[in-house]
């Protein structure tokens, strides 16, 4: 949508994804009641869900902005670095045990990414920095989910996670839209009228 459909507003697109995902999760949990919904207190929401949502929204916006500067193929290569950061943070927070075979495997992955970066023809330092930032924030998001939810006995499946996290993630994205993408609503209105199926399909795909 951003590249081929010329809609260069990543934060707005991410907001649409989160809002539509919450509507779908609400439909499954509340209206159809096909997915059991655990009740979280407001204290649990503010202490656990909101920090996770802040990390998640930052990761999504940074990652989506990187699509404007570097190729999709190169982004997928950079995402191979995610296990390296996740494992390192898990070790730092005591969530994983040290095993010597893991660093050697991660070193091979890192070397491969370095070689791919050196051979990238359309390399953009800004795009690289945005995607790398998204990877680090994603690792923080994963660690927070483990520390703030699972270790406190809160068990959420993918649908209930979306139900609780998506609305707060949407709110966290609003400032980015207001300060960086003020013309996005006009652009969205014009393009949505011409091709509503593109945006609807994109939002459904984001939920799936």
């Amino acid at each position: 949508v951003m590249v081929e459909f010329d809609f260069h507003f990543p934060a707005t697109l991410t907001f649409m994804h989160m809002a539509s995902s919450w509507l779908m999760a609400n439909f499954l949990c509340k209206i159809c009641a096909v997915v059991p919904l655990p009740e979280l207190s407001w204290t649990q929401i503010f202490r656990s869900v909101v920090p996770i949502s802040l990390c998640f929204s930052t990761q999504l916006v940074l990652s989506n902005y990187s699509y404007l500067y570097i190729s999709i193929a190169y982004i997928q290569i950079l995402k191979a670095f995610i296990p390296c950061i996740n494992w390192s943070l898990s070790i730092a927070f005591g969530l994983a045990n040290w095993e010597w075979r893991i660093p050697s495997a991660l070193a091979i992955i890192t070397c491969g990414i370095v070689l791919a970066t050196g051979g990238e023809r359309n390399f953009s330092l800004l795009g690289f920095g945005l995607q790398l930032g998204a990877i680090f924030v994603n690792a923080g998001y994963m660690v927070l989910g483990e520390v703030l939810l699972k270790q406190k006995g809160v068990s959420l499946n993918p649908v209930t996670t979306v139900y609780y996290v998506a609305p707060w993630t949407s709110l966290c994205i609003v400032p980015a839209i207001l300060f960086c993408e003020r013309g996005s609503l006009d652009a969205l209105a014009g393009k949505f009228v011409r091709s509503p199926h593109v945006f609807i399909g994109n939002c459904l795909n984001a939920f799936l």
Side-chain angles (χ1 to χ4, degrees), residues 82-192:
I82 290 177
C84 303
I85 305 302
N86 285 357
W87 184 77
S88 299
L89 280 183
S90 296
I91 290 293
F93 282 87
L95 301 176
N97 297 321
W98 177 272
E99 296 182 33
W100 285 105
R101 61 184 178 85
I102 296 179
S104 58
L106 297 181
I108 295 173
I109 294 174
T110 303
C111 290
I113 294 172
V114 171
L115 291 174
T117 300
E120 177 64 21
R121 291 185 177 181
N122 299 317
F123 179 79
S124 166
L125 184 60
L126 177 58
F128 175 80
L130 288 169
Q131 187 57 45
L132 197 62
I135 290 171
F136 274 93
V137 176
N138 177 73
Y141 160 75
M142 299 297 291
V143 169
L144 280 177
E146 184 71 29
V147 172
L148 298 179
L149 291 177
K150 291 184 179 179
Q151 289 191 353
K152 293 184 178 180
V154 179
S155 179
L156 299 177
N157 60 42
V159 176
T160 54
T161 298
V162 170
Y163 177 87
Y164 281 111
V165 171
W168 295 101
T169 301
S170 301
L171 288 177
C172 292
I173 294 172
V174 169
I177 296 175
L178 294 177
F179 286 103
C180 303
E181 301 182 357
R182 294 185 179 181
S184 62
L185 294 181
D186 292 336
L188 174 62
K191 292 181 181 297
F192 188 85

Side-chain angles (χ1 to χ4, degrees), residues 18 20-38 40 141 155-167 206-208:
M18 289 296 98
S20 59
S21 294
W22 179 79
L23 289 175
M24 291 296 295
N26 193 67
F27 178 77
L28 293 174
C29 294
K30 289 288 189 178
I31 298 177
C32 294
V34 295
V35 179
L37 180 66
L40 297 184
Y141 160 75
S155 179
L156 299 177
N157 60 42
V159 176
T160 54
T161 298
V162 170
Y163 177 87
Y164 281 111
V165 171
F207 174 74
L208 298 174

